[in-house]
Amino acid sequence: MEFELFLTRLVQGINNGAIYAFLALALVCTYRGSKALNLAQGELAMICTFVSWSLAANGVPLPLAILGGVVVGGLSGAAIERTLIRPLGRDAHYSVLLVCVGLFLAINALAGFIWGGDPQSFPAVVPDAPDDFVPVMGVRLRYQQLVILVVLLVLVAALYAVFRYTRFGLSMRAAASNPDSASLVGVRVNRVNAWGWVLAGAVGALLGPLIAPSTTLSTSMFFTFIIYACAAATVGGFDSPIGAVIGGLFIGVTENLVASYVGFIGDSLKLTVALVILLVVLMVKPSGLLGTREVERV
Amino acid sequence: MTSAKQRLVIVEGSALHLGLRIAGALAIIATAFALPYVLEPFRLSQIAGACVYAMAVVGLNLLAGFGGQISLGHAAFFGLGAYTTGVLTTGYGVDPALSFLVGIVVCFAVGVIVAFPALRLRGIYVALVTLAVGLIFPTLVIRFADLTGGSTGLFGVTYQPPDLAYFSGFNGRVYWNYWLAVAGLALACLVVRNLMNGRFGRSVIALRDNETAAVIMGVNRTGTRVVVFGTSASIAGLAGSLFAVSSGLLTPLSFSLLLTLYFLAGMIIGGASSFWGPVLGGFLIYFVPVWSAELSSINGSQNLAGVVFGVIIILITFFLRSGLAGLVRTLLGLVVRVEPRMPVAVPSAARASLSEPRLTERHHLSAPADDRPELDRSGVGSTDAARNH
Amino acid sequence: MSLELQGVSAGYGAGDVLHEISLDVRPGEVVVILGANGAGKTTLMRAVSGVIPRRGRILFEGKDISRTGPEQIVRLGLAQVPQGRGTFVDLTVEENLRTGALSRRDSARVNEDLDRWYTTYPRLAERRRQKAGLLSGGEQQMLAVSRAMMSRPRLLLCDEPSLGLSPRLTQELFASLRSINEEWDMSMLIVEQNAAIALGIATRGYLLEVGTIARAGSADELSDSDAVRAAYLGY
């Protein structure tokens, strides 16, 4: 009985963690190249999910509708990088953050203006009837939850392979590691960074339709997830995709276990647990578990 | 060159200069006294609400504008002040005035605590610390529901007006809240101005513009940053306390990330590291959503305010780093020129920088590059022409 | 002519650091540019490789590259070993070498070249799977040179290669630069403070002082010149 409760909480933690990791992955994609913390990443994902929803509501088959949202996400990412981020230069943390704050407000309000403030229900990607689950040692793994984890793992494996084994991946890593040297060996650094934003936009737009069936679709659906994603990316290291996934899962599992075993914390302080982890990591090892330490150039 | 001759030239410290400044100050005071007689009570309440927001923006500007440390958690200090007053007055029968003081002290202390981890970090990591702190606050409010009312909220926070004829009428409470807010805003402006006009202010600016150089020159980095953070937090906290007594109802949702982003929007639009720009910005973030909701009955029209703010923030980041304050200063500069008593050949940093709004940021680690503050010769909220130096 | 600069000026916004520089490198030559700190040596390198904007004409093998960006210039066959080595510290040694070949299209022959540099610098082969940031200064310099060579350039720019190296390592490095020059008939333009050792492998040299060419001549002429001896050779 005890063990079953533990297992239930663990599974729940992994499920939540997968969502955090997913969005953290998007944050990492933009941060690696542009050194930009895109606070508006969740909002971008949200509006793309609305696009997918509108397409589906107008008779487009769901997979195509999601693909449409992903394409919009990628293109918006590229457009934002080209017009709003690149002109500010590489060291403009403050300005970039402000631009992202502006984007956050604008995208959030724009979605509210177009689609209204009422939450919408989003069609499930996989069968989601009460008996659509896989039982594992007495714990129900719902298809709807499993699909997020599966897509996440496939995505990370694909990204890892691209980064590790392709010329494009090597260009991206070189550009992130030392932009000046990268351009001297022939890497088109700006173009590579723009691809980071394309990836981020697409990854976010893919996440939205996966979680919307359970969270419902609304303009505020990503408010807490973006915070968790920041925490996950901090734990893993802002420039490490693998770190983002580990960080996301770690936070998801920790907050759920702490919530169930520490009575004082309970479910209402789950987010606090994540934020405290974030603060502790920032104080002890700001570069995170797998991130590169930033060397300050004078 | 001919245009320079056509401009009205005022010598700093001259009778005309002083006169204009006094006139400006008097005009503001007169307006403050006139408003209760001119405006309908609900409009007056809105002015009070706007003053409270403006206070929080003024506090944020001390930290993020002058200090160059962006905060994504200022709504939490605002909320901490609000709940301190709310809990103490409704739960323990503490006098509201005393609760304001407690709120100021509590926020200062929390601000100092947050300042320490932020001291060691730079770039986005400072923003992340404040983000975390800012978001912890609403969760704690919900967790300690016995004390705070949790997500349902805390009701009935009030401050009885003093026993004066002025406040005894039907709208006495509206007047009282209005004057509390106006006084709070004036106090916040004076504190920031006095802090920034002098040695301490120069240390703050030096740390923002070149930390290493400032420390080498003997600026006490820890001390300065901690005081700036604490003061900024306590100003936001007092604003929150006043918000509590004027709105009467507190819910954790009111102090979300969105509110912080609105404060930031107010600071950027009004003009970061200007003295009166944030006041203007605070009024805008309060009134633009109100107006856009009033002007149109289309569902979701209040969202237009958000779109407008977002777009304006981006435009300002690119084209008008010093915000509306900078714009006004430039426009006034076309007509009036204030000359220092001892003529100096160096052109005004502020004006020179307006013509090169980008590209210089890398020299300043995290501050808006071209907002050199006007350390001297500026009147709080004064409309006088002295702003153009 | 491998490289020819005609009246090149460049700087960083506020004012020019280089004033109307003219110089040339003939095929197969090693040309060294001597100069004190702040003379504009690194600026010159950055101007040639396209990292900073510049005015005047820069001809590489007769083609004007003064408006070409660094990514394109390396594709034309002009590679730079940047000052401070520009190591990709969080990539492995082998990945660092492979970045050098990113500008190439003949990926089949990249592995051949990789082996070739591993043979030249066995230390790199031993550490091929290690993070390049863990290498010593001398090893990172070898890595930087071979990374630049991985692009199969026809002209190699070296910016202050002796920086931070011990005298013995500096000797070794210049010996290896000389053998690259001889073996590949590689044209080289080397910026260096250590005049004695640089002139040792150079055909010709230029003396750069506050952004202008103060003297030009063969390596022997410069070594014998009193001005160079007093200022840079110390005897």
Side-chain angles (χ1 to χ4, degrees), chain B residues 124-168:
Chain B
I124 62 160
Y125 296 108
V126 180
L128 282 171
V129 170
T130 53
L131 179 75
V133 172
L135 292 160
I136 285 176
F137 178 73
T139 64
L140 290 179
V141 169
I142 295 173
R143 172 63 183 79
F144 297 101
D146 310 344
L147 206 60
T148 63
S151 10
T152 34
L154 194 64
F155 299 89
V157 190
T158 54
Y159 191 175
Q160 276 305 116
D163 203 8
L164 291 172
Y166 185 77
F167 297 119
S168 62

Side-chain angles (χ1 to χ4, degrees), chain A residues 2-298:
Chain A
E2 270 294 289
F3 185 66
E4 202 169 292
L5 176 72
F6 171 78
L7 219 56
T8 313
R9 283 299 203 160
L10 186 68
V11 166
Q12 207 175 1
I14 292 174
N15 283 328
N16 293 349
I19 300 174
Y20 312 156
F22 218 117
L23 198 59
L25 207 56
L27 290 179
V28 168
C29 284
T30 55
Y31 186 80
R32 281 172 64 91
S34 306
K35 298 282 172 274
L37 167 60
N38 184 9
L39 216 57
Q41 184 67 61
E43 300 314 288
L44 190 59
M46 174 272 290
I47 202 164
C48 292
T49 313
F50 267 108
V51 170
S52 297
W53 177 79
S54 284
L55 288 175
N58 285 301
V60 178
L62 189 58
L64 275 183
I66 294 175
L67 184 67
V70 169
V71 170
V72 170
L75 291 179
S76 334
I80 291 169
E81 192 276 341
R82 187 68 195 86
T83 57
L84 300 180
I85 305 295
R86 194 186 300 179
L88 291 173
R90 206 180 285 143
D91 301 318
H93 299 292
Y94 193 99
S95 305
V96 167
L97 198 59
L98 291 179
V99 165
C100 292
V101 167
L103 277 173
F104 187 109
L105 290 173
I107 297 177
N108 182 267
L110 185 67
F113 183 65
I114 299 176
W115 286 285
D118 300 328
Q120 308 285 352
S121 67
F122 195 95
V125 191
V126 290
D128 198 24
D131 57 347
D132 284 324
F133 61 83
V134 191
V136 174
M137 297 165 78
V139 179
R140 295 175 168 192
L141 301 178
R142 302 197 54 75
Y143 293 169
Q144 176 58 38
Q145 297 166 329
L146 274 177
V147 72
I148 299 174
L149 194 60
V150 170
V151 173
L152 172 72
L153 293 179
V154 170
L155 198 63
V156 173
L159 280 180
Y160 183 83
V162 168
F163 280 148
R164 186 79 24 190
Y165 301 113
T166 68
R167 282 165 66 99
F168 173 71
L170 187 60
S171 308
M172 271 195 120
R173 288 165 59 215
S177 170
N178 187 334
D180 294 334
S181 286
S183 69
L184 283 177
V185 295
V187 175
R188 293 183 175 87
V189 176
N190 281 333
R191 199 184 292 182
V192 163
N193 288 348
W195 274 106
W197 284 78
V198 171
L199 269 177
V203 166
L206 184 60
L207 173 63
L210 295 178
I211 61 169
S214 23
T215 61
T216 75
L217 174 61
S218 77
T219 52
S220 59
M221 66 188 284
F222 275 101
F223 278 8
T224 39
F225 288 132
I226 189 71
I227 311 305
Y228 278 115
C230 284
T234 311
V235 170
F238 252 94
D239 53 3
S240 163
I242 304 285
V245 174
I246 296 175
L249 294 175
F250 173 76
I251 285 183
V253 169
T254 312
E255 66 162 358
N256 271 286
L257 293 183
V258 169
S260 66
Y261 289 107
V262 185
F264 171 78
I265 304 277
D267 278 345
S268 57
L269 285 190
K270 264 184 172 177
L271 180 61
T272 314
V273 173
L275 293 169
V276 169
I277 296 175
L278 166 68
L279 285 175
V280 170
V281 170
L282 281 179
M283 271 178 277
V284 179
K285 194 169 183 296
S287 55
L289 292 176
L290 298 177
T292 14
R293 206 165 69 86
E294 270 176 71
V295 182
E296 193 177 320
R297 267 168 280 175
V298 184

